[in-house]
Amino acid sequence: MNKSALKQFATEARIELLEKVELQARKIGITAESIQEANVESSDAVFIDGKQLSDIERRQRNKLIARINEIGFERVMEETAYTWFNRFIALRYMEVNDYLPTKVRVLSSDSGSAEPDMMKEALTLNLDLDKEKVYEMKMNNETDELFKYLIKIHCNDLNRYMPFMFETIEDYTEILFPEGLLGTDSFVRKMTDTEVIPEDNWEKIEVIGWLYQYYIADEKDRVFKAKKKYKAEEIPFATQLFTPDWIVQYMVQNSLGRYWVEAHPEHEDLIEGWEFYIRHQQEDFQEKIAPYVNKELNVEDIKCFDPAMGSGHILVYMFDVLYEIYSKCGYMEREIPRLIIENNLYGLDIDDRAYQLASFSIVMKALEYNRRFLRSIERDGLSLNLASIQETNGWTDDTIAYIAGENKGTKFDSTKAFFEQYISAKTFGSLIQVTETDTTYLEKRLQEINENPVDDIFETDKREQALVLLPLLIKQTEIMGNQYDIVVMNPPYMGSGSMNKELSGFLRKNYPDSKSDLFASFMEVDHYLMKNGFYSAINQHSWMFLSSFEKLRKKVINNKIIDTMLHLGPRAFEEIGGEVVQSTVFVLRNNKIKGYKGVYLRLIEDRTASEKKEKTIQAVHNSTVSYRYSFDQNNFNEIPGSPIAYWISLRMLNV
């Protein structure tokens, strides 16, 4: 994968999209400095600079203004540009892999023509379009208008399958559609130029994650250089980091994979295909784990969770491993993708755009295994257990009383408590420990609100607010109130010096032993983990040694088992040079087993990520390599400060 080309493309695309989206806003009288008042010549006609807006455009403009008043001009332009970027990379991925329902390329041509195939075949596309309008645009050589129209129609059509990525274009993103995308130097041309980005780069779903990271790279640099407390909307930029494939494979194989194979040793041949699975050499290993293994484990019951899922990279590889397990159990191939999505995979993130990409990636992975999966969605629908965490800042008692309904006398307090647990949720994310998890009454009220329109304008606003946000809050509550067999993540890294007042106060109150860094607090999400479950993460190795994390270490040592660890040190991420980020990746068992020896690989001396990867593979096949250690973690308590010093000798330990 040509990562340098992907990075250049994504960063340039962001700049171009922002410029073009802002230009469209200016055309309808909206800039960062002012919002032009529309001239209303009759009850039906609204004009901006002499141009009459259609009813749809007028509604879209009003929604745009409302959103700007809510979060500000710059953030609206940013989220709109990002939304269109997501849609275009989704269309590109789907056309290259021949996943589009029309089977016609929308951004490029199979023949190498500069004109996309959808424009040549516009009149024969199996889509709900106005053929007379298409014919007129073709006859009048209105190329840009035709491209814009057909892209919108495609997005609306794909809404049937993936509403999270392709919302019906009735909102303000349509009126801000970036124009001039067929120009020679446009990002669409660069995206489809195989000399810039080879087409085989689009054949792997990981390309979505890399593009997500590179798209926000400039914002990441900006917030880092500012050296100030991060605002809630800046946290995704500051903390997102795409996890290398091989590290994801290590984490999933040694958590989910181990969980299954220990319960079903008859499937141990699965291990042969897992390059990073570390076998334990302890003589009485099977005897020690026996009391903690569920021999009745059913694959449909395994719940896997990533509480900081980003673009879904970890969930996508979990999908692969689960598919192997389902296949071993004799399930029909075409049924497996839906079973995995609806039964096994769960994820949360604070970034709405990342949620879109994670959901898209999961559906694309399903299509990889079942090319008719979109037909299945159209026929039976699809329930994804993924959510972008929403917050309830600004919800008034009056609106909450409206949601509580006629029973507000008895239901107001519990309804208010439900909403209050999500105040500043975009800042706290999945670290929130929800207490109000019973959504039965709220689901009933949502149905009533949906079925009963109101005439009063104030009631209408409350109704619309409820219909938009309440389903999202119910969904995230379902996920956040659950417990999971497997929790795997690359948590956000953020030291206390960068935390805003809200976040640092929240951590002091709820995570006092790990408040120094967000990544450490994510080591204490026990409320998500079932007894005897597995937890895996990659984070900074400072928790292993610094005095500020001593209480956290003791919790781990005394209550869990460090099953395996790759102590990576610096340069585990190719994109991060120098010694700044010193990493460790590990798997914990959520139980305590006396006399259990964990396996540790000491890879801190290796200078590149590829060297660390190769030495991990060597240690998998050769348990006698010098950098592989077996250690009883109870001995860490014998050392002042309880550092995770797995490499010290018994002689040193006695000293």
Side-chain angles (χ1 to χ4, degrees):
M1 192 171 288
N2 189 342
K3 292 176 186 172
S4 60
L6 292 174
K7 183 172 185 178
Q8 183 174 349
F9 159 71
T11 52
E12 290 177 357
R14 176 176 174 270
I15 294 168
E16 179 184 338
L17 278 166
L18 281 170
E19 289 175 353
K20 288 182 172 177
V21 165
E22 288 184 24
L23 177 61
Q24 295 307 111
R26 194 175 303 121
K27 287 181 179 179
I28 55 172
I30 298 172
T31 66
E33 293 75 33
S34 65
I35 296 176
Q36 183 179 329
E37 194 169 327
N39 299 317
V40 181
E41 296 191 0
S42 71
S43 59
D44 299 319
V46 175
F47 293 82
I48 297 291
D49 291 338
K51 177 180 179 282
Q52 183 175 349
L53 301 184
S54 68
D55 284 345
I56 290 176
E57 288 173 331
R58 180 168 49 84
R59 288 197 298 270
Q60 291 168 347
R61 185 178 186 271
N62 289 339
K63 287 182 180 179
L64 173 59
I65 292 169
R67 185 64 171 157
I68 289 171
N69 290 335
E70 183 183 350
I71 65 172
F73 179 84
E74 287 187 6
R75 283 182 61 191
V76 171
M77 295 301 107
E78 183 72 64
E79 77 175 16
T80 305
Y82 202 168
T83 296
W84 279 113
F85 180 76
N86 280 1
R87 288 172 182 164
F88 277 108
I89 64 173
L91 289 170
R92 178 59 174 161
Y93 182 85
M94 292 183 76
E95 73 170 11
V96 168
N97 291 282
D98 196 25
Y99 291 156
L100 288 167
T102 61
K103 301 298 179 185
V104 176
R105 291 199 169 206
V106 295
L107 303 176
S108 63
S109 172
D110 271 331
S111 65
S113 166
E115 185 180 48
D117 286 343
M118 73 166 178
M119 297 178 70
K120 288 183 281 189
E121 301 181 34
L123 291 169
T124 59
L125 291 173
N126 186 23
L127 292 171
D128 183 19
L129 45 75
D130 184 338
K131 291 191 176 182
E132 188 174 322
K133 182 176 181 178
V134 169
Y135 181 77
E136 286 180 8
M137 285 189 281
K138 287 178 76 72
M139 291 299 294
N140 296 327
N141 290 321
E142 296 174 353
T143 307
D144 282 337
E145 281 301 309
L146 178 59
F147 178 78
K148 177 179 177 180
Y149 175 72
L150 291 176
I151 289 292
K152 290 178 182 178
I153 293 295
H154 272 89
C155 289
N156 285 341
D157 182 65
L158 288 168
N159 170 267
R160 292 181 293 160
Y161 314 104
M162 293 173 282
F164 47 81
M165 176 67 84
F166 299 101
E167 302 98 328
T168 302
I169 303 184
E170 285 272 329
D171 63 4
Y172 58 81
T173 58
E174 179 179 10
I175 205 169
L176 296 181
F177 186 96
E179 295 185 345
L181 295 181
L182 292 179
T184 308
D185 296 323
S186 78
F187 86 92
V188 169
R189 291 296 194 198
K190 292 172 185 173
M191 180 168 57
T192 56
D193 186 339
T194 55
E195 292 186 9
V196 176
I197 305 175
E199 198 153 285
D200 61 5
N201 282 200
W202 293 97
E203 293 172 1
K204 294 182 178 179
I205 194 60
E206 287 78 17
V207 71
I208 302 297
W210 285 114
L211 287 171
Y212 168 58
Q213 174 162 311
Y214 295 143
Y215 184 91
I216 63 174
D218 284 349
E219 281 298 280
K220 181 189 281 282
D221 291 343
R222 178 186 65 78
V223 297
F224 277 172
K225 287 174 184 174
K227 293 183 178 178
K228 61 181 182 181
K229 311 289 186 184
Y230 299 139
K231 300 174 185 174
E233 64 269 19
E234 293 174 332
I235 293 174
F237 302 138
T239 59
Q240 199 281 332
L241 189 61
F242 192 68
T243 320
D245 280 354
W246 73 277
I247 292 175
V248 172
Q249 291 169 32
Y250 158 79
M251 291 195 291
V252 175
Q253 289 170 15
N254 289 279
S255 56
L256 170 59
R258 190 180 302 282
Y259 188 63
W260 179 259
V261 170
E262 286 181 355
H264 293 277
E266 70 274 14
H267 291 163
E268 195 163 300
D269 56 332
L270 285 168
I271 295 170
E272 301 307 315
W274 296 342
E275 206 171 11
F276 301 97
Y277 185 89
I278 297 174
R279 294 177 184 267
H280 287 270
Q281 302 299 319
Q282 190 173 350
E283 286 185 8
D284 58 350
F285 175 73
Q286 295 297 336
E287 182 184 325
K288 287 193 177 299
I289 66 168
Y292 309 98
V293 172
N294 176 14
K295 293 293 185 182
E296 305 300 318
L297 184 63
N298 184 321
V299 63
E300 291 187 46
D301 295 331
I302 301 174
K303 287 183 166 56
C304 304
F305 179 48
D306 183 348
M309 66 183 173
S311 57
H313 190 197
I314 291 171
L315 294 171
V316 162
Y317 185 63
M318 282 179 167
F319 195 117
D320 286 329
V321 171
L322 285 161
Y323 192 92
E324 288 184 75
I325 295 170
Y326 272 99
S327 297
K328 272 287 177 189
C329 294
Y331 285 78
M332 294 180 66
E333 289 184 359
R334 68 175 179 271
E335 295 177 351
I336 296 174
R338 177 179 292 276
L339 289 169
I340 291 173
I341 291 173
E342 296 192 338
N343 293 335
N344 303 118
L345 295 182
Y346 295 77
L348 292 169
D349 204 272
I350 58 173
D351 185 349
D352 296 345
R353 307 282 87 77
Y355 154 74
Q356 286 184 340
L357 293 177
S359 301
F360 175 75
S361 295
I362 292 297
V363 173
M364 293 303 103
K365 178 56 71 169
L367 274 167
E368 187 180 310
Y369 287 108
N370 177 6
R371 297 189 73 86
R372 296 184 176 183
F373 190 66
L374 290 186
R375 293 185 193 176
S376 165
I377 295 176
E378 188 175 20
R379 184 181 66 247
D380 303 319
L382 184 68
S383 178
L384 283 160
N385 298 306
L386 310 180
S388 171
I389 296 174
Q390 304 300 311
E391 61 187 14
T392 52
N393 302 36
W395 279 67
T396 63
D397 283 358
D398 196 31
T399 306
I400 292 170
Y402 168 76
I403 290 173
E406 293 179 0
N407 295 316
K408 57 178 173 279
T410 57
K411 292 293 184 180
F412 177 80
D413 289 344
S414 60
T415 303
K416 184 173 182 179
F418 174 83
F419 280 90
E420 285 185 338
Q421 69 188 344
Y422 293 125
I423 291 174
S424 300
K426 285 286 188 189
T427 299
F428 309 146
S430 50
L431 290 176
I432 293 171
Q433 299 178 38
V434 295
T435 54
E436 303 298 321
T437 58
D438 186 354
T439 59
T440 308
Y441 180 72
L442 292 173
E443 290 174 51
K444 176 174 172 286
R445 279 293 297 141
L446 179 61
Q447 184 177 350
E448 291 171 355
I449 291 168
N450 189 43
E451 293 173 352
N452 296 293
V454 292
D455 296 324
D456 184 276
I457 188 168
F458 297 108
E459 293 286 288
T460 299
D461 288 343
K462 293 173 192 172
R463 180 176 183 270
E464 288 183 0
Q465 192 176 4
L467 291 176
V468 170
L469 192 57
L470 197 50
L472 303 179
L473 294 177
I474 289 170
K475 184 69 175 179
Q476 75 189 41
T477 303
E478 178 188 329
I479 298 171
M480 296 176 80
N482 218 333
Q483 282 196 309
Y484 301 91
D485 303 271
I486 310 294
V487 176
V488 182
M489 75 179 97
N490 181 355
Y493 308 168
M494 187 197 298
S496 55
S498 298
M499 296 178 192
N500 58 41
K501 187 177 179 180
E502 272 187 310
L503 181 56
S504 59
F506 173 83
L507 295 184
R508 277 197 305 272
K509 178 181 177 182
N510 297 283
Y511 297 91
D513 298 333
S514 54
K515 63 182 184 296
S516 300
D517 200 295
L518 263 184
F519 80 75
S521 298
F522 273 95
M523 288 181 68
E524 294 200 83
V525 289
D526 291 351
H527 53 286
Y528 289 128
L529 194 58
M530 294 183 70
K531 189 66 178 171
N532 302 330
F534 281 78
Y535 169 99
S536 185
I538 176 168
N539 59 30
Q540 296 197 47
H541 77 174
S542 51
W543 72 267
M544 298 167 64
F545 311 113
L546 294 186
S547 59
S548 54
F549 296 118
E550 183 177 343
K551 289 181 179 178
L552 173 63
R553 283 195 295 279
K554 287 184 175 179
K555 279 184 178 178
V556 172
I557 293 166
N558 297 326
N559 298 294
K560 303 182 189 303
I561 286 291
I562 301 174
D563 190 70
T564 60
M565 175 183 284
L566 309 184
H567 188 186
L568 299 170
R571 299 182 177 87
F573 295 87
E574 293 175 2
E575 291 70 36
I576 303 175
E579 310 288 321
V580 177
V581 176
Q582 302 253 6
S583 303
T584 183
V585 54
F586 53 93
V587 177
L588 304 178
R589 291 177 184 265
N590 194 28
N591 46 44
K592 183 68 176 169
I593 307 174
K594 188 176 181 181
Y596 189 101
K597 291 185 177 180
V599 177
Y600 303 77
L601 304 188
R602 188 168 171 81
L603 304 166
I604 62 174
E605 302 299 331
D606 304 292
R607 307 309 295 170
T608 66
S610 59
E611 287 175 13
K612 297 176 194 292
K613 174 182 175 181
E614 289 307 313
K615 288 187 73 173
T616 299
I617 294 171
Q618 289 172 25
V620 165
H621 297 291
N622 182 1
S623 62
T624 64
V625 292
S626 61
Y627 52 90
R628 175 170 170 154
Y629 297 83
S630 180
F631 200 87
D632 184 340
Q633 68 188 47
N634 285 321
N635 289 325
F636 294 141
N637 283 326
E638 303 302 317
I639 312 168
S642 303
I644 310 299
Y646 56 85
W647 62 87
I648 70 168
S649 65
L650 288 176
R651 188 174 177 185
M652 178 63 76
L653 189 64
N654 289 332
V655 170

